[in-house]
Amino acid sequence: MTTALQTPQRRSRSKLQDASLVNGPMLLLRSIRGFSSNRSMLWLATVPLALFGLGIFNLSAHAADLPELNAAFLANNLWLLIATILVIFMNAGFAMVEAGMCRSKNAVNILAKNLFVFALAVTSYWFIGYSLMYGGSVADGWLYFGGLFFDPTVTADMVTDAGLVPTVDFLFQSAFAGTAATIVSGLVAERVKFGEFVVFAIVLTAFIYPIAGSWKWNGGWLDSLGFVDFAGSSIVHSVGAWAGLVGAMLLGPRIGKYSDGKPQAMPGHNMAIATLGALILWIGWYGFNPGSQLAMDQWVPYVAVTTTLAAAAGAIGATIVSTLTSGKPDLTMIINGILAGLVSITAGCGDMTLAGAWFAGLVGGIIVVFSVAALDAAEIDDPVGAFSVHGVCGVWGTLVIGLWGTAVQGDGAGMGLFNGGGINLLLVQALGAAAYAIWTLVTCWIAWSIIGGLFGGIRVSEEEETQGLDISEHGMESYPDFASAK
């Protein structure tokens, strides 16, 4: 009797193992219905892998043309998908940091911007941005284009060479585009019109960011000079920061921010969610930096460690300096110190020793405190310190490779000025940082000005700003059961 009962089960398992990716899911579901509860749990655990194989690799239409999937191919693509999810989750961190550091009457507006801008970024980047960034050459080294949308076809060479499939690569790159647009939100918070902001986000992610990114990441002119930006200190973070800085300068400061030329405190309404947001960003950065290895190899954990050490050092540096300058440790500076450390290592996370990464983060945490004070002195209203974190530390993270970068994943030789590499790389890094600043400042000034001209300005009215953007822009309150903190 036992043998008779086991025979069909063995037959079922054999059919499932031999099934194609087209028929496999249905056989899998039938098997689940036929098993006991313990075995059902085991089979349910395989469902994500089945969906991964079907959805991401798009093999249903090409299964007959492709060689057998090898372990390296699966590992590389699965790792990049996981990294992509981590980077996308960073949107929650950005939203919480920005909302927590601003006043409660604008929380809905901030959350709506951060949520909606990612939807726009993915769409515009899918429509044309990805093609401008990774398409064929139009003006060699400067401009690329490969047609609208992108080709998701998986080829035999991709499988054989353990390469990335186009859909996974697109997802990862679109998450980076969304990050650049989200940085802008922090600089223009509490006074920008919602509609005008989202139009700018479309322009940024469809044209401005992709063209700049191609200069390095598609073999453009900066790449040919030897410019190093492993995961985007300049390409992602400084571009987003420069774009936001233009918007902040055109908008002007928030009402009441400056009195007789002196900055007035406008405390954030919820430091608990701001702190949680910072921790989410720290975790998400393990997709941002290690994911940029673009393969699951021995260097992924190394990049994760350089990222961690820089973040830790940034927190230490910012805490010490804020305590010395204000008399007490400032939580907002601890948060910004962590983020400053992370941005400071993003360009060099694969080209720094562990000690070099820690020191780069420490300097980033120190300079972010002074940068926030400098912007206040210049009467540039940056509600969450976004330019200091992503702009100033983005430039610093780019330059530091020219000071003590090391070819860790190569021959281990020093690349920077202070460890035997000479001054050439430092000059190239400075040129790259300047190029991204100039490109973004000019193009974003044009974009913001045109949008403002077409739609009657980019700033809400004084009455709407005083009332709060939650009511004036969205018709709702973030905390309807409590009195709003004005």
Side-chain angles (χ1 to χ4, degrees), residues 228-231 233 306 344-353 357 397 400-401:
V228 178
D229 194 348
F230 190 90
S233 285
T306 59
S344 297
I345 196 58
T346 296
C349 54
D351 298 284
M352 289 276 194
T353 63
V400 71
I401 303 169

Side-chain angles (χ1 to χ4, degrees), residues 121-426:
V122 170
T123 302
S124 61
Y125 196 71
W126 168 61
F127 181 73
I128 193 172
Y130 184 79
S131 177
L132 286 171
M133 198 159 178
Y134 294 104
S137 178
V138 175
D140 192 35
W142 295 89
L143 183 64
Y144 299 83
F145 186 64
L148 300 180
F149 308 106
F150 72 98
D151 183 3
T153 303
V154 181
T155 66
D157 288 341
M158 295 174 190
V159 178
T160 303
D161 299 336
L164 299 174
V165 299
T167 43
V168 170
D169 186 55
F170 165 76
L171 280 176
F172 187 66
Q173 301 299 338
S174 66
F176 275 51
T179 298
T182 302
I183 293 167
V184 179
S185 177
L187 275 141
V188 299
E190 299 199 289
R191 71 259 199 218
V192 71
K193 292 179 181 178
F194 182 82
E196 284 70 2
F197 170 77
V198 299
V199 171
F200 176 79
I202 292 172
V203 175
L204 179 68
T205 53
F207 303 103
I208 297 172
Y209 164 77
I211 292 173
S214 71
W215 297 346
K216 164 60 185 176
W217 287 343
N218 195 22
W221 68 276
L222 278 175
D223 186 60
S224 66
L225 293 175
F227 179 73
V228 178
D229 194 348
F230 190 90
S233 285
S234 276
I235 297 170
V236 179
H237 293 280
S238 76
V239 166
W242 291 116
L245 181 68
V246 175
M249 293 175 69
L250 290 173
L251 285 165
R254 291 166 290 173
I255 296 171
K257 175 61 180 176
Y258 297 99
S259 178
D260 297 326
K262 296 182 179 179
Q264 306 300 307
M266 289 185 167
H269 83 282
N270 193 328
M271 294 310 299
I273 69 168
T275 302
L276 181 58
L279 289 170
I280 290 173
L281 286 170
W282 191 338
I283 293 170
W285 235 282
Y286 293 119
F288 209 97
N289 287 1
S292 294
Q293 189 69 25
L294 302 180
M296 185 62 243
D297 60 20
Q298 73 273 25
W299 294 110
V300 167
Y302 184 90
V303 172
V305 172
T306 59
T307 300
T308 305
L309 290 173
I316 293 169
T319 303
I320 292 173
V321 173
S322 69
T323 302
L324 292 175
T325 55
S326 65
K328 294 181 180 179
D330 185 334
L331 177 57
T332 63
M333 288 303 169
I334 297 174
I335 291 172
N336 279 337
I338 291 170
L339 302 182
L342 290 165
V343 173
S344 297
I345 196 58
T346 296
C349 54
D351 298 284
M352 289 276 194
T353 63
L354 299 184
W358 188 89
F359 196 68
L362 180 71
V363 175
I366 292 171
I367 62 177
V368 77
V369 179
F370 293 110
S371 176
V372 168
L375 256 68
D376 270 341
E379 297 191 20
I380 297 174
D381 188 7
D382 181 1
V384 301
F387 182 76
S388 298
V389 168
H390 300 279
V392 175
C393 290
V395 172
W396 161 244
T398 303
L399 294 177
V400 71
I401 303 169
L403 296 175
W404 58 78
T406 303
V408 174
Q409 299 187 36
D411 59 7
M415 299 163 57
L417 178 64
F418 297 152
N419 60 355
I423 197 174
N424 182 66
L425 181 59
L426 179 60

